[in-house]
Amino acid sequence: MSKTAFVFPGQGSQAVGMLSDLASILPTVTDTFEEASEALGFDLWELVQNGPIEELNKTAITQPAVLTASVAIWRVYREQGGRKPDFLAGHSLGEYTALTCAGVFSLADAVSLVHARGNYMQDAVPEGSGSMAAIIGLDDEKVKELCRDVAEGEVVAAVNFNSPGQVVIAGHASAVDRAIAGCKEKGARMGRLLPVSVPCHCSLMQEAAEKLAEKLNSTSMNEPLIPVINNIDVAVENEIEAIKVALIRQLSGPVRWTESIQKLASEGVTNVVECGPGKVLTGLTKRIDNSLVGSAINTAETLESALKA
């Protein structure tokens, strides 16, 4: 039997009004948001449905919103008789969603954790002093080398290896600007700043990682019921302490997404299903390995297709 993996998106997949069609026919969606809202102390569903988008896009709000949306879709899929996948994985924040769906965290603990994570990240770097940029059309090693060459005592590094020829860099805003210019000189097709206020997955997040470690130590965790491939080592960890360490390292270390999808393929996975708002990861799956069948569940129609499949 062919193997299936479910993958969960990170920040950037949020949108005002997301999951409204699913919620109109399946109360599990709003029930899941109610559960999250109770843990957070504010009405997450109201914010997700009506915005404003500026509020939804704040890191500390985006993270619980995307995680809850993805968990809601997962719950609906499983309740409707969807088959348990063989593997789970998530991009950045999505790793927390994967661990939640694997039973490591309760939803209440997960949303509290990523809400705090977002605040730690925002507090670690003064707004405007850090940035991230997408570099397209340049070899990974060349991007890494160029970041080292233009750092000039500041931080800039390749942090998200999303697909061959698509790398995200992060660090001090001025160093990121220099790296964009340098990558274009070296032949990159595109280098553009991303609309984020926090330079994720670089060493500027070290202070946030230390606070996250304290929060994780006070959060209840269980061993996973489904194998989860992590971002930092592209590995499956089953021991709680090892999962914690990987999450702490992930905050200031790179997301190795290309290798994660390749790892799934090497484990015999043929179908990769994106479970969450949007379909960013589905596009990346096709670019990484076009022999894999990639699909997304984010509407009533795509849910029905996934259940038939």
Side-chain angles (χ1 to χ4, degrees):
M1 195 181 211
S2 65
K3 291 183 182 178
T4 300
F6 268 51
V7 296
F8 301 91
Q11 287 181 237
S13 290
Q14 72 276 8
V16 171
M18 62 185 179
L19 271 59
S20 57
D21 71 325
L22 270 176
S24 67
I25 56 170
L26 296 161
T28 296
V29 174
T30 47
D31 289 348
T32 301
F33 271 88
E34 271 181 37
E35 194 181 325
S37 297
E38 197 172 314
L40 292 166
F42 60 87
D43 191 338
L44 189 60
W45 182 247
E46 166 67 24
L47 185 50
V48 161
Q49 291 309 295
N50 300 308
I53 187 64
E54 294 78 17
E55 188 68 17
L56 182 59
N57 283 347
K58 287 179 180 173
T59 298
I61 304 297
T62 305
Q63 295 197 32
V66 172
L67 184 145
T68 305
S70 301
V71 169
I73 295 169
W74 166 262
R75 286 179 172 180
V76 164
Y77 168 81
R78 295 289 284 146
E79 280 173 7
Q80 298 290 313
R83 184 167 75 87
K84 186 171 86 169
D86 300 280
F87 291 93
L88 304 176
H91 189 286
S92 187
L93 160 74
E95 188 170 319
Y96 289 80
T97 316
L99 291 166
T100 305
C101 294
V104 174
F105 299 115
S106 68
L107 177 63
D109 283 342
V111 292
S112 299
L113 186 59
V114 300
H115 179 56
R117 179 179 183 261
N119 281 321
Y120 300 154
M121 290 164 71
Q122 193 67 70
D123 292 346
V125 180
E127 198 160 347
S129 67
S131 65
M132 299 182 79
I135 307 295
I136 294 177
L138 204 60
D139 175 79
D140 292 358
E141 290 305 316
K142 282 185 181 171
V143 176
K144 288 197 275 189
E145 184 184 335
L146 196 131
C147 285
R148 288 193 295 269
D149 290 347
V150 303
E152 295 177 15
E154 292 186 310
V155 170
V156 61
V159 297
N160 290 1
F161 298 94
N162 287 335
S163 67
Q166 184 179 330
V167 181
V168 172
I169 61 173
H172 288 112
S174 50
V176 169
D177 288 344
R178 290 193 296 275
I180 291 171
C183 286
K184 286 179 177 175
E185 281 175 21
K186 293 282 186 184
R189 284 203 312 279
M190 190 180 82
R192 66 175 172 84
L193 289 170
L194 298 178
V196 294
S197 57
V198 175
C200 310
H201 301 294
C202 71
S203 60
L204 294 177
M205 290 292 106
Q206 192 54 47
E207 181 189 316
E210 288 164 13
K211 291 179 182 174
L212 178 65
E214 289 179 30
K215 179 76 173 170
L216 275 166
N217 283 333
S218 63
T219 301
S220 178
M221 295 173 68
N222 306 299
E223 290 186 1
L225 302 172
I226 304 170
V228 177
I229 292 175
N230 68 28
N231 290 176
I232 194 77
D233 296 316
V234 194
V236 173
E237 298 290 0
N238 292 311
E239 293 180 6
I240 290 168
E241 202 52 44
I243 293 169
K244 271 187 205 174
V245 170
L247 288 174
I248 294 159
R249 289 171 56 226
Q250 185 230 50
L251 192 51
S252 59
V255 173
R256 297 164 61 188
W257 192 249
T258 300
E259 291 171 88
S260 296
I261 296 297
Q262 290 167 341
K263 167 80 169 167
L264 290 170
S266 74
E267 293 286 350
V269 168
T270 54
N271 295 282
V272 179
V273 181
E274 180 172 2
C275 183
K279 50 185 180 181
V280 171
L281 301 182
T282 306
L284 294 180
T285 296
K286 287 169 184 167
R287 285 201 283 277
I288 294 165
D289 186 340
N290 62 14
S291 73
L292 296 171
V293 178
S295 59
I297 305 176
N298 48 37
T299 62
E301 187 183 351
T302 52
L303 171 66
E304 194 178 335
S305 299
L307 290 168
K308 282 178 184 171

